[in-house]
Amino acid sequence: MDQESTNLPAQIADALVSIPKGLTPGVIKALDRLVGASVDIPIAWLQQKKAKIDAQTESYKLVEASIAETVASGAGADPDIAQRAMNKLVRKEYRKQVNREAVASAMVEDLRDQASSEENLATGSVPASEVDDDWLNVFERYAEDASSERLQGLWGKVLAGEVRQPGRFSTRTLRFLSEFSQADALLFETFAKSAFGDNAPKKLVAPKDQEDIRDLIYLEASGLIQGASGLGLQMTFMFDKHGRSFVREGNLIVLLTGEPEKKVQYEAIALTQLGQEVLCLVGSRNARESARAVAHAIRNPNIHEAHLGVLTDEKTGKINLMEVLWVKETPEAPIVEGSQD
């Protein structure tokens, strides 16, 4: 990227170099919203947007002047009150801008870090749509209140995920995350390490004594999981006519082989739609390790093999197999001793 004539924050400008070109429009739109008129987008990179940004800058100046006039008139003849009101307004808006730029920086960092991941490179085409304006309106309100490094990192990951796949996070999930405490996050983090795709095998997450399931009940009450209470859930999958089935999370695939058109079941606790959206935000979780754990937990005599792979082409369903997770042992044929003539 040509950084001539740009005053983007250095951390953001440097990281932008490594972001896939297919994500550029979404990144630009997000930066326009969060960083806004405080930056001059590089001319060589985004010349067609500059007129729009310059127009916004003039609008902001008019609004600022109008606010100052309104505050002054509302304060009557006391200039001290007007000055204190303006100072408070400036401090408040400054904090919001600092928070928004920190979130924007976290977004760009996440996009850069994930760009080298095989799972994300596999189907690295241009997103089918842009980040929705209404979604950005809601997101901006949460981002500007993110004063801690933890929340700024969290909202940065959310925005990065939305840029990669518009529609990935619902506004309901944004509202949930705004109230998601660190204690709640740690509790879900423990569960998430034993989950892959849309569920976690019960044998991995249920307490061994089956008595103290308060943590699971709490996650269920939060709307993240279901099947912790009551009779539980049975997950069922069927092998196709070629004897194949798979469990998917993003572009990561656990490919299973077995008897064609035969069903396999296991007890599980399912992730709700909300839980699935939050799952990918757990920073300490390694999706490949979770895939391995789940594949071993559902091991069954009816499953012959389990492989870990990456979906390389969404249209054709082509999978690049990376690792053999396990193979069903085939008993050796008995040796029959007999006399020879």
Side-chain angles (χ1 to χ4, degrees), residues 18 29 36 90 93 125 174 178 198 220 259 265 292 312 316:
S18 304
K29 189 170 186 177
V90 169
E93 291 305 315
S125 58
L174 300 186
S178 71
D198 64 358
E220 187 171 53
E259 291 292 329
Q265 291 185 320
R292 294 184 188 106
T312 57
T316 64

Side-chain angles (χ1 to χ4, degrees), residues 99 128 133 167 212 302 331:
N99 294 342
D133 286 323
D212 190 356
N302 293 319

Side-chain angles (χ1 to χ4, degrees), residues 109-234:
E109 292 282 345
D110 187 79
L111 289 171
R112 182 191 64 181
D113 293 344
Q114 294 296 321
S116 59
S117 168
E118 188 173 357
E119 289 98 292
N120 288 295
L121 286 174
T123 55
S125 58
V126 178
S129 59
E130 286 190 357
V131 181
D132 182 69
D133 286 323
D134 290 336
W135 187 93
L136 276 173
N137 288 338
V138 176
F139 178 85
E140 184 180 7
R141 291 196 292 271
Y142 293 125
E144 66 189 13
D145 290 332
S147 56
S148 70
E149 187 175 344
R150 181 185 76 86
L151 283 176
Q152 289 163 356
L154 174 65
W155 289 120
K157 286 177 70 70
V158 171
L159 187 54
E162 190 69 15
V163 167
R164 282 191 290 263
Q165 183 185 334
R168 184 173 190 175
F169 297 104
S170 66
T171 53
R172 181 198 173 201
T173 297
L174 300 186
R175 184 170 62 252
F176 175 85
L177 290 173
S178 71
E179 301 172 354
F180 202 37
S181 70
Q182 189 162 11
D184 292 340
L186 290 173
L187 185 60
F188 185 65
E189 178 181 329
T190 301
F191 177 90
K193 291 178 180 179
S194 298
F196 183 75
D198 64 358
N199 72 90
K202 200 167 186 178
K203 65 189 297 183
L204 290 181
V205 294
K208 293 181 180 179
D209 57 14
Q210 295 293 318
E211 293 179 0
D212 190 356
I213 60 171
R214 284 175 293 180
D215 287 348
L216 293 176
I217 296 298
Y218 182 80
L219 291 175
E220 187 171 53
S222 299
L224 292 166
I225 64 174
Q226 58 185 6
S229 58
L231 299 176
L233 295 174
Q234 286 280 342

Side-chain angles (χ1 to χ4, degrees), residues 85-86 120 130 174 183 193 241 267 272-274 276 323:
M86 280 298 297
N120 288 295
E130 286 190 357
L174 300 186
K193 291 178 180 179
K241 63 181 181 180
E267 289 187 317
T272 62
Q273 183 61 42
L274 172 65
Q276 292 176 56
E323 180 181 343

